[in-house]
Amino acid sequence: TQLLEQSPQFLSIQEGENLTVYCNSSSVFSSLQWYRQEPGEGPVLLVTVVTGGEVKKLKRLTFQFGDARKDSSLHITAAQPGDTGLYLCAAVTDSWGKFQFGAGTQVVVTP
Amino acid sequence: EAQVTQNPRYLITVTGKKLTVTCSQNMNHEYMSWYRQDPGLGLRQIYYSMNVEVTDKGDVPEGYKVSRKEKRNFPLILESPSPNQTSLYFCASSPYRQLPAYGYTFGSGTRLTVV
């Protein structure tokens, strides 16, 4: 069962454009994380959001946690080819430490 | 350098031949986990361990075994591999109490092909 639904699955844009990736669930999470994965490598943590309504910025990346802590978005401003990668959201889904990922959004930024 | 080391990076094997993928971390993390990654299905948790001698099943544990005899090592064992276990495997670790905030450190992955 995929608790975390990501959309879109694939996004191809030109350098300089903006994009938004979504991570949705019917469950409430105490925190949610975003990772980026490049080909041939493991995912790398970008950010953790904890508080409902929280907004975090990492250079041109803006992360938002929904007020109800069920969803999150990642917005990239003026995308660059270096932003190309698989973006994954993830969260702890039970009290024993089970940790689940969304299926990911593949972002391709062409020069 | 703080890291999670998996070996091998690539492995081709035949159906039924037992294999072990090793995972070691040098960060003194309590929590370790194995994931497999398949196109369209994302990362699915196989097993996780909250500390030495404490392991539990993730979402897709069938056909896999793990052990956690030492804090730093968490090997993944396929007793009788089958072609549907062809996948990209990742080991990851985290300080247990801080997993929701700290996140995972991942290894570089093991691409396994079972023919």
Side-chain angles (χ1 to χ4, degrees), chain B residues 61-103:
Chain B
E62 295 79 19
Y64 304 94
K65 283 176 58 178
V66 293
S67 69
R68 188 91 181 273
K69 294 186 172 65
E70 305 165 279
K71 198 172 189 179
R72 63 183 292 127
N73 296 323
F74 191 44
L76 179 69
I77 303 157
L78 284 71
E79 294 269 4
S80 183
S82 61
N84 65 11
Q85 292 178 298
T86 292
S87 187
L88 179 59
Y89 291 86
F90 287 101
C91 180
S93 74
S94 178
Y96 171 56
R97 293 293 176 195
Q98 300 170 46
L99 174 60
Y102 186 90

Side-chain angles (χ1 to χ4, degrees), chain B residues 20-58:
Chain B
T20 299
V21 183
T22 63
C23 174
S24 180
Q25 49 94 5
N26 62 0
M27 296 165 282
N28 202 37
H29 286 169
E30 299 88 4
Y31 190 105
M32 297 185 74
S33 186
W34 277 102
Y35 287 85
R36 61 177 288 174
Q37 188 173 33
D38 302 288
L41 297 176
L43 283 157
R44 293 180 293 168
Q45 193 173 40
I46 303 170
Y47 271 95
Y48 61 99
S49 169
M50 291 173 279
N51 215 325
V52 176
E53 303 292 1
V54 182
T55 63
D56 206 351
K57 297 177 180 178

Side-chain angles (χ1 to χ4, degrees), chain A residues 29-87:
Chain A
F29 300 112
S30 58
S31 65
L32 188 142
Q33 299 175 351
W34 284 94
Y35 292 77
R36 180 169 67 210
Q37 183 180 15
E38 299 187 13
E41 297 297 327
V44 175
L45 180 68
L46 295 173
V47 77
T48 300
V49 286
V50 178
T51 307
E54 180 178 6
V55 176
K56 281 192 173 178
K57 292 195 174 186
L58 189 66
K59 297 183 181 177
R60 293 173 295 97
L61 278 60
T62 302
F63 304 86
Q64 184 160 9
F65 202 15
D67 292 339
R69 292 184 287 123
K70 292 183 178 182
D71 54 81
S72 182
S73 63
L74 157 60
H75 181 79
I76 302 179
T77 303
Q80 299 178 359
D83 296 323
T84 293
L86 180 67
Y87 289 82

